[in-house]
Amino acid sequence: MKKILVLHTGGTIAMQENEQGAIQPNVINPLYSTIESLSSIASVIVDDYLNIPSPHMTPSLMVDLAERLKERAKTDHLDGIVVTHGTDTLEETAYLLDLLLDWDIPVVITGAMRSSNELGADGPHNLISAVRVAASDSACEKGVLVVLNDEIHTAKNVTKTHSSNIATFQSPQYGPIGIVTKRGVFFHHTLSVRECHPVKSLTKKVALLKTYAGMDHTIIEAVAKTKIDGLVIEAFGQGNVPPLVMNALTKLINANIPVVLVSRCFNGVVQDTYAYEGGGRSLKEQGVIFTNGLNGQKARLKLMVVLEQTTDRTTLQEWFYK
């Protein structure tokens, strides 16, 4: 029987709704009754590591979590890991763990959209599905996975798409890489490229801004005054920005502050297609770094990670187009 660590960090999956309808953290983890029922699936050990709402999660805590998982995997000789997490920042924690963990054992992140005492609570079922995936041989060598609503997603592509629906986690453009059924765990495709960076701390300050109609230089200049080390811009469409921000972006690049471009669309990639002022081609010529389908919040985390290793623009462009 596989040895699986279930590590808790908090979130709605560990919360309860009070008589006034407010959902709040619970002192006693309500998942313990579900964990007791997992003995037929795996030999489960529990780590009540954190009990925080996911908006309280930070990149520093994510790095600490990665170090905790490395420690537990080594000392407990684990076959797989499940991390329970709040859904608001779940995709960010999953993706950062995927960048930091260089191993082949399954790491599965799960959560819930309904607290433990709400009708139709999805936490117990998601936990069971996550443990089944973590105990599956076919989940090895696939990086960090996200399992909710009986779907298996990659940390790189999954995102939260709905504020309250239990089917909120989707992988736009790519879809889930597998499913969980009563009969088993089934994968039908996988990532073609995985990457890992040997980083144990994050010290760089990276900002994230979304473009909007009429945006000008003032917001970028204001953010630049906070002494950022990098900037991620969520651009229009295929990678275009209002012309009034171009000078501010050029000043950042000339100051050796990387500017990374993603699309505010949740499908497609940015490309140097349009040659007008603010178009993708003009941005590429100015030295803006293009990504290959990452969303803004994940591009920010990746820039924080890679800036710990290099500020060379050519190397950064190569890493961001993986």
Side-chain angles (χ1 to χ4, degrees):
M1 185 169 285
K2 297 289 185 71
K3 189 175 185 181
I4 306 297
L5 171 69
V6 175
L7 183 146
H8 301 299
T9 66
T12 299
I13 194 170
M15 295 183 184
Q16 287 190 337
E17 185 180 53
N18 65 20
E19 294 178 355
Q20 289 74 43
I23 298 173
Q24 56 195 18
N26 200 42
V27 176
I28 299 175
N29 195 319
L31 291 173
Y32 273 106
S33 58
T34 303
I35 290 171
E36 292 173 0
S37 69
L38 296 172
S39 59
S40 62
I41 302 173
S43 174
V44 175
I45 56 177
V46 179
D47 185 349
D48 287 314
Y49 181 57
L50 294 172
N51 187 20
I52 61 173
S54 60
H56 295 192
M57 184 61 74
T58 66
S60 178
L61 287 174
M62 295 174 194
V63 173
D64 291 343
L65 173 59
E67 294 302 308
R68 177 77 160 212
L69 297 185
K70 292 176 186 177
E71 176 187 333
R72 294 301 301 260
K74 181 178 180 180
T75 59
D76 295 306
H77 307 289
L78 301 172
D79 298 302
I81 295 172
V82 171
V83 176
T84 65
H85 197 289
T87 59
D88 283 347
T89 57
L90 185 151
E91 66 187 87
E92 290 169 80
T93 295
Y95 182 61
L96 188 56
L97 291 178
D98 197 44
L99 291 175
L100 299 180
L101 298 178
D102 186 18
W103 62 32
D104 293 330
I105 68 171
V107 176
V108 180
I109 317 296
T110 193
M113 294 300 292
R114 297 172 183 159
S115 60
S116 61
N117 61 339
E118 288 185 78
L119 287 175
D122 53 327
H125 183 82
N126 285 341
L127 177 61
I128 293 169
S129 295
V131 171
R132 292 178 65 194
V133 173
S136 170
D137 290 336
S138 57
C140 296
E141 302 181 6
K142 288 184 171 62
V144 175
L145 302 171
V146 172
V147 173
L148 290 95
N149 203 35
D150 284 339
E151 293 183 338
I152 308 168
H153 297 264
T154 65
K156 181 178 181 179
N157 293 325
V158 76
T159 191
K160 187 175 182 178
T161 65
H162 195 285
S163 62
S164 58
N165 196 299
I166 61 171
T168 180
F169 282 94
Q170 306 290 330
S171 294
Q173 193 163 240
Y174 304 104
I177 66 168
I179 59 173
V180 184
T181 74
K182 290 183 178 180
R183 298 288 181 256
V185 175
F186 301 98
F187 289 88
H188 43 73
H189 66 271
T190 189
L191 285 176
S192 59
V193 177
R194 285 178 57 196
E195 60 180 310
C196 181
H197 299 273
V199 170
K200 292 189 176 182
S201 64
L202 297 179
T203 62
K204 306 302 181 182
K205 185 177 182 179
V206 176
L208 169 63
L209 292 175
K210 182 190 290 286
T211 55
Y212 49 84
M215 185 179 185
D216 64 18
H217 60 92
T218 55
I219 184 66
I220 295 175
E221 291 174 350
V223 170
K225 289 179 181 178
T226 66
K227 299 182 179 179
I228 56 174
D229 299 294
L231 176 66
V232 176
I233 290 284
E234 286 192 9
F236 304 128
Q238 293 185 52
N240 313 302
V241 301
L244 291 179
V245 308
M246 286 296 291
N247 285 341
L249 295 180
T250 300
K251 288 179 181 178
L252 288 177
I253 294 168
N254 290 340
N256 202 32
I257 297 174
V259 177
V260 171
L261 194 73
V262 303
S263 176
R264 70 180 198 177
C265 303
F266 60 85
N267 278 304
V269 300
V270 290
Q271 301 177 87
D272 55 341
T273 302
Y274 291 96
Y276 52 73
E277 186 179 5
R281 183 157 299 189
S282 62
L283 291 169
K284 192 70 171 287
E285 290 171 352
Q286 289 295 323
V288 171
I289 297 163
F290 282 50
T291 58
N292 189 18
L294 282 179
N295 62 25
Q297 54 268 34
K298 292 179 184 177
R300 172 180 172 266
L301 289 171
K302 184 168 183 177
L303 185 55
M304 293 174 73
V305 168
V306 297
L307 283 178
E308 296 293 338
Q309 301 164 88
T310 185
T311 58
D312 178 71
R313 191 176 302 161
T314 301
T315 304
L316 291 175
Q317 180 61 81
E318 290 174 356
W319 281 349
F320 266 98
Y321 224 73
K322 287 185 178 181

PDB file of all heavy atoms in Angstrom, residues 2 29 47 51 67 71 82 94 99 103 111 114 121 130 202 216 240 280 283-284 289 310:
ATOM      1  N   LYS A   2       0.513   2.234  -0.821  1.00  0.00           N
ATOM      2  CA  LYS A   2       1.304   3.452  -0.935  1.00  0.00           C
ATOM      3  C   LYS A   2       1.213   4.290   0.345  1.00  0.00           C
ATOM      4  O   LYS A   2       0.182   4.335   1.011  1.00  0.00           O
ATOM      5  CB  LYS A   2       0.801   4.296  -2.109  1.00  0.00           C
ATOM      6  CG  LYS A   2       0.948   3.627  -3.476  1.00  0.00           C
ATOM      7  CD  LYS A   2       2.394   3.567  -3.898  1.00  0.00           C
ATOM      8  CE  LYS A   2       2.544   3.013  -5.305  1.00  0.00           C
ATOM      9  NZ  LYS A   2       2.062   3.953  -6.337  1.00  0.00           N
ATOM     10  N   ASN A  29      -9.774  20.379  12.316  1.00  0.00           N
ATOM     11  CA  ASN A  29      -9.904  20.139  10.886  1.00  0.00           C
ATOM     12  C   ASN A  29     -11.051  19.168  10.610  1.00  0.00           C
ATOM     13  O   ASN A  29     -11.028  18.022  11.078  1.00  0.00           O
ATOM     14  CB  ASN A  29      -8.602  19.565  10.324  1.00  0.00           C
ATOM     15  CG  ASN A  29      -8.537  19.635   8.819  1.00  0.00           C
ATOM     16  OD1 ASN A  29      -9.521  19.383   8.136  1.00  0.00           O
ATOM     17  ND2 ASN A  29      -7.369  19.963   8.299  1.00  0.00           N
ATOM     18  N   ASP A  47      -0.239  16.023   8.201  1.00  0.00           N
ATOM     19  CA  ASP A  47       0.565  17.142   8.682  1.00  0.00           C
ATOM     20  C   ASP A  47      -0.323  18.386   8.686  1.00  0.00           C
ATOM     21  O   ASP A  47      -0.660  18.918   7.631  1.00  0.00           O
ATOM     22  CB  ASP A  47       1.780  17.354   7.771  1.00  0.00           C
ATOM     23  CG  ASP A  47       2.736  18.423   8.286  1.00  0.00           C
ATOM     24  OD1 ASP A  47       2.367  19.151   9.232  1.00  0.00           O
ATOM     25  OD2 ASP A  47       3.848  18.537   7.731  1.00  0.00           O
ATOM     26  N   ASN A  51      -3.141  26.698   8.816  1.00  0.00           N
ATOM     27  CA  ASN A  51      -4.597  26.809   8.797  1.00  0.00           C
ATOM     28  C   ASN A  51      -4.957  28.262   8.496  1.00  0.00           C
ATOM     29  O   ASN A  51      -5.405  29.006   9.360  1.00  0.00           O
ATOM     30  CB  ASN A  51      -5.208  26.357  10.124  1.00  0.00           C
ATOM     31  CG  ASN A  51      -6.727  26.299  10.066  1.00  0.00           C
ATOM     32  OD1 ASN A  51      -7.306  26.225   8.983  1.00  0.00           O
ATOM     33  ND2 ASN A  51      -7.371  26.334  11.222  1.00  0.00           N
ATOM     34  N   GLU A  67       9.898  23.523   0.893  1.00  0.00           N
ATOM     35  CA  GLU A  67      10.950  22.966   1.741  1.00  0.00           C
ATOM     36  C   GLU A  67      10.382  21.932   2.716  1.00  0.00           C
ATOM     37  O   GLU A  67      11.009  20.911   2.993  1.00  0.00           O
ATOM     38  CB  GLU A  67      11.669  24.087   2.496  1.00  0.00           C
ATOM     39  CG  GLU A  67      12.461  25.028   1.603  1.00  0.00           C
ATOM     40  CD  GLU A  67      13.505  24.302   0.783  1.00  0.00           C
ATOM     41  OE1 GLU A  67      14.311  23.545   1.377  1.00  0.00           O
ATOM     42  OE2 GLU A  67      13.516  24.471  -0.450  1.00  0.00           O
ATOM     43  N   GLU A  71      11.418  17.947   2.966  1.00  0.00           N
ATOM     44  CA  GLU A  71      11.813  17.341   4.243  1.00  0.00           C
ATOM     45  C   GLU A  71      10.972  16.107   4.552  1.00  0.00           C
ATOM     46  O   GLU A  71      11.501  15.056   4.916  1.00  0.00           O
ATOM     47  CB  GLU A  71      11.655  18.379   5.355  1.00  0.00           C
ATOM     48  CG  GLU A  71      11.938  17.861   6.754  1.00  0.00           C
ATOM     49  CD  GLU A  71      11.601  18.882   7.815  1.00  0.00           C
ATOM     50  OE1 GLU A  71      11.644  20.092   7.521  1.00  0.00           O
ATOM     51  OE2 GLU A  71      11.272  18.467   8.943  1.00  0.00           O
ATOM     52  N   VAL A  82      -0.454  14.869  -0.884  1.00  0.00           N
ATOM     53  CA  VAL A  82      -1.646  15.670  -1.162  1.00  0.00           C
ATOM     54  C   VAL A  82      -1.586  16.907  -0.280  1.00  0.00           C
ATOM     55  O   VAL A  82      -1.352  16.797   0.924  1.00  0.00           O
ATOM     56  CB  VAL A  82      -2.947  14.891  -0.884  1.00  0.00           C
ATOM     57  CG1 VAL A  82      -4.164  15.814  -0.974  1.00  0.00           C
ATOM     58  CG2 VAL A  82      -3.090  13.732  -1.853  1.00  0.00           C
ATOM     59  N   ALA A  94       0.339  25.844  -6.446  1.00  0.00           N
ATOM     60  CA  ALA A  94       0.611  24.646  -7.237  1.00  0.00           C
ATOM     61  C   ALA A  94       1.714  24.914  -8.261  1.00  0.00           C
ATOM     62  O   ALA A  94       2.640  24.113  -8.432  1.00  0.00           O
ATOM     63  CB  ALA A  94      -0.665  24.175  -7.930  1.00  0.00           C
ATOM     64  N   LEU A  99       7.553  24.557 -10.012  1.00  0.00           N
ATOM     65  CA  LEU A  99       8.841  25.121 -10.420  1.00  0.00           C
ATOM     66  C   LEU A  99       9.975  24.741  -9.466  1.00  0.00           C
ATOM     67  O   LEU A  99      11.137  24.714  -9.876  1.00  0.00           O
ATOM     68  CB  LEU A  99       8.739  26.646 -10.493  1.00  0.00           C
ATOM     69  CG  LEU A  99       7.879  27.244 -11.608  1.00  0.00           C
ATOM     70  CD1 LEU A  99       7.810  28.762 -11.450  1.00  0.00           C
ATOM     71  CD2 LEU A  99       8.415  26.881 -12.982  1.00  0.00           C
ATOM     72  N   TRP A 103      11.354  16.280  -8.558  1.00  0.00           N
ATOM     73  CA  TRP A 103      11.235  14.851  -8.265  1.00  0.00           C
ATOM     74  C   TRP A 103      10.088  14.268  -9.071  1.00  0.00           C
ATOM     75  O   TRP A 103       9.359  14.974  -9.748  1.00  0.00           O
ATOM     76  CB  TRP A 103      11.075  14.600  -6.767  1.00  0.00           C
ATOM     77  CG  TRP A 103       9.848  15.200  -6.130  1.00  0.00           C
ATOM     78  CD1 TRP A 103       8.624  15.396  -6.714  1.00  0.00           C
ATOM     79  CD2 TRP A 103       9.719  15.669  -4.790  1.00  0.00           C
ATOM     80  NE1 TRP A 103       7.744  15.937  -5.815  1.00  0.00           N
ATOM     81  CE2 TRP A 103       8.383  16.117  -4.626  1.00  0.00           C
ATOM     82  CE3 TRP A 103      10.576  15.721  -3.701  1.00  0.00           C
ATOM     83  CZ2 TRP A 103       7.909  16.633  -3.418  1.00  0.00           C
ATOM     84  CZ3 TRP A 103      10.094  16.234  -2.512  1.00  0.00           C
ATOM     85  CH2 TRP A 103       8.793  16.687  -2.360  1.00  0.00           C
ATOM     86  N   GLY A 111      -8.744  21.271  -2.986  1.00  0.00           N
ATOM     87  CA  GLY A 111      -9.431  22.217  -2.111  1.00  0.00           C
ATOM     88  C   GLY A 111     -10.925  22.015  -2.231  1.00  0.00           C
ATOM     89  O   GLY A 111     -11.391  20.949  -2.646  1.00  0.00           O
ATOM     90  N   ARG A 114     -17.061  24.663  -1.249  1.00  0.00           N
ATOM     91  CA  ARG A 114     -18.078  24.724  -0.199  1.00  0.00           C
ATOM     92  C   ARG A 114     -17.459  24.257   1.103  1.00  0.00           C
ATOM     93  O   ARG A 114     -16.733  23.264   1.128  1.00  0.00           O
ATOM     94  CB  ARG A 114     -19.286  23.860  -0.567  1.00  0.00           C
ATOM     95  CG  ARG A 114     -20.012  24.330  -1.819  1.00  0.00           C
ATOM     96  CD  ARG A 114     -21.066  23.335  -2.254  1.00  0.00           C
ATOM     97  NE  ARG A 114     -21.718  23.768  -3.496  1.00  0.00           N
ATOM     98  CZ  ARG A 114     -22.367  22.945  -4.318  1.00  0.00           C
ATOM     99  NH1 ARG A 114     -22.453  21.648  -4.037  1.00  0.00           N
ATOM    100  NH2 ARG A 114     -22.922  23.414  -5.420  1.00  0.00           N
ATOM    101  N   ALA A 121     -21.175  19.712   0.300  1.00  0.00           N
ATOM    102  CA  ALA A 121     -19.749  20.014   0.517  1.00  0.00           C
ATOM    103  C   ALA A 121     -18.885  19.131  -0.382  1.00  0.00           C
ATOM    104  O   ALA A 121     -19.026  17.906  -0.407  1.00  0.00           O
ATOM    105  CB  ALA A 121     -19.395  19.798   1.981  1.00  0.00           C
ATOM    106  N   ALA A 130      -8.063  13.151  -4.682  1.00  0.00           N
ATOM    107  CA  ALA A 130      -6.655  13.573  -4.687  1.00  0.00           C
ATOM    108  C   ALA A 130      -5.746  12.478  -4.156  1.00  0.00           C
ATOM    109  O   ALA A 130      -4.659  12.238  -4.706  1.00  0.00           O
ATOM    110  CB  ALA A 130      -6.498  14.851  -3.872  1.00  0.00           C
ATOM    111  N   LEU A 202      12.855  33.615  -2.237  1.00  0.00           N
ATOM    112  CA  LEU A 202      12.457  34.600  -3.232  1.00  0.00           C
ATOM    113  C   LEU A 202      12.657  35.986  -2.641  1.00  0.00           C
ATOM    114  O   LEU A 202      12.023  36.338  -1.647  1.00  0.00           O
ATOM    115  CB  LEU A 202      10.991  34.399  -3.635  1.00  0.00           C
ATOM    116  CG  LEU A 202      10.641  33.068  -4.306  1.00  0.00           C
ATOM    117  CD1 LEU A 202       9.154  33.003  -4.616  1.00  0.00           C
ATOM    118  CD2 LEU A 202      11.459  32.855  -5.576  1.00  0.00           C
ATOM    119  N   ASP A 216      -2.311  54.984 -19.273  1.00  0.00           N
ATOM    120  CA  ASP A 216      -1.160  55.802 -19.633  1.00  0.00           C
ATOM    121  C   ASP A 216       0.037  55.447 -18.760  1.00  0.00           C
ATOM    122  O   ASP A 216       0.020  54.459 -18.032  1.00  0.00           O
ATOM    123  CB  ASP A 216      -1.487  57.292 -19.573  1.00  0.00           C
ATOM    124  CG  ASP A 216      -1.841  57.769 -18.171  1.00  0.00           C
ATOM    125  OD1 ASP A 216      -1.515  57.047 -17.189  1.00  0.00           O
ATOM    126  OD2 ASP A 216      -2.439  58.854 -18.040  1.00  0.00           O
ATOM    127  N   ASN A 240      -0.792  43.377 -27.020  1.00  0.00           N
ATOM    128  CA  ASN A 240      -0.747  44.778 -27.416  1.00  0.00           C
ATOM    129  C   ASN A 240      -1.127  45.665 -26.234  1.00  0.00           C
ATOM    130  O   ASN A 240      -1.930  45.266 -25.393  1.00  0.00           O
ATOM    131  CB  ASN A 240      -1.710  45.023 -28.583  1.00  0.00           C
ATOM    132  CG  ASN A 240      -1.567  43.988 -29.681  1.00  0.00           C
ATOM    133  OD1 ASN A 240      -0.491  43.807 -30.240  1.00  0.00           O
ATOM    134  ND2 ASN A 240      -2.664  43.282 -29.979  1.00  0.00           N
ATOM    135  N   GLY A 280       2.429  44.236 -30.511  1.00  0.00           N
ATOM    136  CA  GLY A 280       3.362  43.210 -30.060  1.00  0.00           C
ATOM    137  C   GLY A 280       4.736  43.298 -30.685  1.00  0.00           C
ATOM    138  O   GLY A 280       5.748  43.082 -30.021  1.00  0.00           O
ATOM    139  N   LEU A 283       6.704  46.048 -29.080  1.00  0.00           N
ATOM    140  CA  LEU A 283       7.102  45.634 -27.733  1.00  0.00           C
ATOM    141  C   LEU A 283       8.294  44.679 -27.791  1.00  0.00           C
ATOM    142  O   LEU A 283       9.238  44.783 -26.991  1.00  0.00           O
ATOM    143  CB  LEU A 283       5.931  44.961 -27.024  1.00  0.00           C
ATOM    144  CG  LEU A 283       4.757  45.871 -26.644  1.00  0.00           C
ATOM    145  CD1 LEU A 283       3.559  45.045 -26.209  1.00  0.00           C
ATOM    146  CD2 LEU A 283       5.157  46.843 -25.530  1.00  0.00           C
ATOM    147  N   LYS A 284       8.255  43.737 -28.723  1.00  0.00           N
ATOM    148  CA  LYS A 284       9.361  42.790 -28.870  1.00  0.00           C
ATOM    149  C   LYS A 284      10.645  43.520 -29.222  1.00  0.00           C
ATOM    150  O   LYS A 284      11.725  43.214 -28.688  1.00  0.00           O
ATOM    151  CB  LYS A 284       8.999  41.774 -29.966  1.00  0.00           C
ATOM    152  CG  LYS A 284       9.917  40.552 -30.031  1.00  0.00           C
ATOM    153  CD  LYS A 284       9.717  39.651 -28.836  1.00  0.00           C
ATOM    154  CE  LYS A 284      10.445  38.328 -28.960  1.00  0.00           C
ATOM    155  NZ  LYS A 284       9.805  37.428 -29.946  1.00  0.00           N
ATOM    156  N   ILE A 289       9.726  40.730 -22.809  1.00  0.00           N
ATOM    157  CA  ILE A 289       9.845  39.273 -22.814  1.00  0.00           C
ATOM    158  C   ILE A 289       8.464  38.655 -22.999  1.00  0.00           C
ATOM    159  O   ILE A 289       7.532  38.957 -22.252  1.00  0.00           O
ATOM    160  CB  ILE A 289      10.483  38.786 -21.498  1.00  0.00           C
ATOM    161  CG1 ILE A 289      11.913  39.336 -21.382  1.00  0.00           C
ATOM    162  CG2 ILE A 289      10.470  37.264 -21.412  1.00  0.00           C
ATOM    163  CD1 ILE A 289      12.477  39.267 -19.981  1.00  0.00           C
ATOM    164  N   THR A 310      19.200  34.792 -12.813  1.00  0.00           N
ATOM    165  CA  THR A 310      19.787  35.587 -13.887  1.00  0.00           C
ATOM    166  C   THR A 310      18.916  36.807 -14.177  1.00  0.00           C
ATOM    167  O   THR A 310      17.712  36.796 -13.902  1.00  0.00           O
ATOM    168  CB  THR A 310      19.931  34.760 -15.176  1.00  0.00           C
ATOM    169  OG1 THR A 310      20.611  35.541 -16.177  1.00  0.00           O
ATOM    170  CG2 THR A 310      18.585  34.334 -15.711  1.00  0.00           C
TER     171      THR A 310
END
